[in-house]
Amino acid sequence: MATSLGSNTYNRQNWEDADFPILCQTCLGENPYIRMTKEKYGKECKICARPFTVFRWCPGTRMRFKKTEVCQTCSKMKNVCQTCLLDLEYGLPIQVRDTGLSVKDEVPRSDVNKEYYTQNMEREIANSDGTRPVGQLGKAPSSSDMLLKLARTTPYYKRNRPHICSFWVKGECKRGEECPYRHEKPTDPDDPLADQNIKDRYYGINDPVADKLLKRASTMPRLDPPEDKSISTLYIGGLGDTVTDGDLKSHFYQFGEIRTITIVQRQQCAFIQFATRQAAEMAAEKSFNKLIINGRRLTVKWGRSQAARGKDGVKEGVSEMGTRLDPVPGLPGALPPPPALDEEAPANYFNLDPSSSPAIMNIALPPPPGINPPPPGYGPPMFHPMGPMAPPVPPPMTMRPPGTIHYPSQDPQRMGAHSAHGSRHTE
């Protein structure tokens, strides 16, 4: 320990005594009822080497115990968590945050300069209201496009998992399911993420996690405006059940006048149409890959015109995103196109022989109301073929050859009941 208990009174007054740690949501865990142990002056800070109050807790079930690593003064100077040393606002390493904000905060490394710098920072922290960072970070701009794209919006509780059991790797662990460590295969030892230093993380140099995030930021996609200048609609995806019409309007009205907002609840998306193309371009530029509403990261894309949708619909086997789709086996093929019709030739709707003259049909009018129609076979036919090639007229029921009787109305013997009824009525 750099400063022992036998030091002078001045140094003892600078030792830190806190009632609660400064932690991020991930390190604190998902359990709202957490139990902590507090050890006053339990360890020295790994940055300034001064004794501070150490807190220890378990963030959740099947998680490893965690403790504070740096003092609260060092945490407030960089606005980071006391355990993971990630930024409290964005959840990113210090190197990434300083790069995004264009901040160059060089903390001294020697013991004397470090002590002097820490005392000045403590004085500045005491004079501030505690709502904003101090030092160079407090003078930096409030936000950055790159940080909003890389920021983590939800806690990453997987980071609290236990370490890998070294006995299980060697095949000698006998605890089984009771082992508090993970029984998994370790990662590649040559992986740069396997070699992380807490001081490099705090000073923002040689941080492998920061290098990985910066490379990801350099290869992020861009949202180019469409060539069709008439398009002034943006597609907003991933709304969920928490984002409403008012939430979208309160965010996008700052870019220009909004004409309509249409929410498709079934697909959890919305279409926002601006009055001008310039307002739509500004909204797309300021919101692409960094739009977060009610804790949800939303997808922002340009809408498509009706003409473009029609052209895309003609393409077979191509999805909306432009990817080629494999044909599904077992489905029938497309119908053949209809034959080309000559405009001068009459339309043959009944597939009649074109060499024969068309049959002229005389359609008889239905009987007036109140008069029963004659039985089948006795009345005049409904259709009178007049052409020479027309089919012959079917004979009446009484003149048809006997055949199989399917219905009572086809039985000629039952037809005599009409005449018998008439003779009985005349008597």
Side-chain angles (χ1 to χ4, degrees), residues 51-276:
F52 73 105
T53 303
V54 178
F55 295 89
R56 189 172 181 269
W57 71 99
C58 182
T61 307
R62 302 292 298 177
M63 300 293 179
R64 73 176 187 272
F65 276 84
K66 308 192 78 173
K67 60 182 179 65
T68 52
E69 305 290 347
V70 298
C71 65
Q72 292 195 3
T73 303
C74 295
S75 173
K76 293 177 181 178
M77 286 192 301
K78 292 283 190 176
N79 193 33
V80 295
C81 172
Q82 283 188 261
T83 300
C84 63
L85 269 67
L86 295 180
D87 185 76
L88 293 174
E89 183 177 358
Y90 302 103
L92 299 173
I94 297 176
Q95 184 176 350
V96 178
R97 182 201 62 191
D98 292 350
T99 304
L101 298 177
S102 301
V103 174
K104 191 175 182 181
D105 190 8
E106 296 181 355
V107 180
R109 308 291 184 86
S110 62
D111 296 338
V112 178
N113 293 336
K114 188 190 306 180
E115 184 70 23
Y116 177 75
Y117 181 82
T118 304
Q119 291 178 7
N120 291 338
M121 287 294 103
E122 286 181 342
R123 191 179 302 109
E124 187 174 350
I125 292 172
N127 295 332
S128 64
D129 56 356
T131 58
R132 287 187 55 83
V134 296
Q136 295 293 331
L137 185 60
K139 304 175 184 178
S142 57
S143 63
S144 171
D145 295 345
M146 184 188 73
L147 297 182
L148 292 176
K149 294 178 182 178
L150 296 176
R152 184 179 293 276
T153 57
T154 56
Y156 184 63
Y157 297 122
K158 189 177 179 181
R159 201 171 62 213
N160 300 332
R161 293 184 305 168
H163 297 295
I164 295 178
C165 180
S166 59
F167 289 90
W168 182 85
V169 174
K170 295 182 292 184
E172 299 177 359
C173 183
K174 300 180 181 180
R175 294 185 180 184
E177 295 182 354
E178 298 180 356
C179 182
Y181 299 96
R182 281 188 296 155
H183 288 182
E184 296 180 5
K185 184 179 179 181
T187 58
D188 186 8
D190 297 332
D191 187 4
L193 297 179
D195 185 15
Q196 301 184 29
N197 191 345
I198 189 171
K199 289 190 175 182
D200 292 342
R201 169 75 55 83
Y202 185 82
Y203 292 119
I205 56 173
N206 301 329
D207 190 353
V209 179
D211 295 337
K212 179 181 178 181
L213 293 175
L214 292 175
K215 291 180 181 178
R216 182 191 302 175
S218 61
T219 58
M220 275 190 172
R222 297 174 52 189
L223 184 63
D224 297 328
E227 297 180 358
D228 189 358
K229 298 298 182 181
S230 63
I231 299 177
S232 61
T233 304
L234 294 182
Y235 165 85
I236 312 298
L239 298 182
D241 299 331
T242 58
V243 182
T244 61
D245 186 357
D247 297 332
L248 295 175
K249 188 174 182 179
S250 61
H251 174 78
F252 283 99
Y253 84 97
Q254 58 182 323
F255 305 112
E257 181 183 355
I258 298 177
R259 183 171 296 171
T260 58
I261 297 180
T262 305
I263 295 182
V264 185
Q265 195 64 34
R266 184 177 181 181
Q267 299 181 357
Q268 295 186 352
C269 65
F271 295 91
I272 302 177
Q273 184 180 12
F274 289 87
T276 60

